[in-house]
Amino acid sequence: MTTVLIVEDEQDLAELVAFNLEKEGYLPVIANDGVSGLNQARDVVPDLILLDLMLPGMPGIEVCKTLKMSEKTASIPIIMLTAKADEIDRVVGFEVGADDYMTKPFSTRELLLRIKAVLRRTGEVESAGRTITAGDLTIDSDRHTVSVAGEEVILTTTEFKLLLSLAERLGRVQSRERLLKDVWGMSHMGDTRTVDTHITRLRTKLGACGDLIKTIRGFGYKMETE
Ligand code: CA
């Protein structure tokens, strides 16, 4: 059964989402503040987390950052829920490792579609299965691990998928639109800044191997070993 953790302090909204998830065959778990959300995430290790940005005590951004720092919870996909339509929130959300975001008010139907899309991405990564090397970089798509010169690097599901897309077509230039379609799916067509934000974060995490990802100005990216 697919478990979805709902971290939301608006009780009515949390229950409405839980009710609809249950109807679709998911197992919802509710946490009403940031700290209990974090604890539930560690205990339950859900398949996906719906994380409200404005929470009492610990804000959603902090919850997200903390989850992404721990090996046990780093690969759990996160959809952020935000009341603000502000662009800044979205960028910050992606920077701390969220896989997607939804602006309130949202329709349950739209939320269910996003959940399905995010879970599909996660599933695809897990079923790919082989090892790719580029310089000091090793990607094991079976075990879903990445290492740089033997040191493991913890990536989010989205970062991993993006890295895999680049590595699988080593030396070939890929447009941002292509990467967006491959990694995020059709629902995100057009918002190419999402790709740039994730590439920046990926490069930082890869450290010495970050240079393997080359920017092709005004077009996209490629991975190259020399
Ligand atoms: Ca809230």
Side-chain angles (χ1 to χ4, degrees), residues 7-10 13 32 52-56 81 83 104:
V7 189
E8 170 62 74
D9 61 316
E10 285 165 60
L13 179 62
N32 289 127
D52 185 27
L53 202 66
M54 302 290 280
L55 290 164
L81 309 176
K104 294 177 195 173

Side-chain angles (χ1 to χ4, degrees), residues 10 13 29 34 42 83-84 93 102 122 131 149 155 175 191 210 215:
E10 285 165 60
L13 179 62
V29 179
R42 285 168 180 155
K84 299 181 212 161
M102 292 214 67
T122 323
T131 304
L155 299 181
S175 70
D191 196 358
T215 303

Side-chain angles (χ1 to χ4, degrees), residues 1 37 42 46 49 76 119 124-125 132 157 184 197 201 221:
M1 203 168 204
R42 285 168 180 155
I49 300 172
I76 304 171
L119 287 172
E124 278 170 18
V125 169
I132 300 171
T157 307
W184 283 267
T197 314
R201 227 154 22 96
Y221 298 94

Side-chain angles (χ1 to χ4, degrees), residues 196-208:
D196 302 333
T197 314
H198 278 80
I199 291 278
T200 304
R201 227 154 22 96
L202 194 52
R203 277 183 176 139
T204 308
K205 284 193 177 180
L206 294 178

Side-chain angles (χ1 to χ4, degrees), residues 162 175-177 179-181 184 191-200 221:
L162 181 60
S175 70
R176 293 142 100 216
E177 287 77 11
L179 289 168
L180 196 60
K181 186 167 169 286
W184 283 267
D191 196 358
T192 53
R193 277 169 300 177
T194 302
V195 178
D196 302 333
T197 314
H198 278 80
I199 291 278
T200 304
Y221 298 94

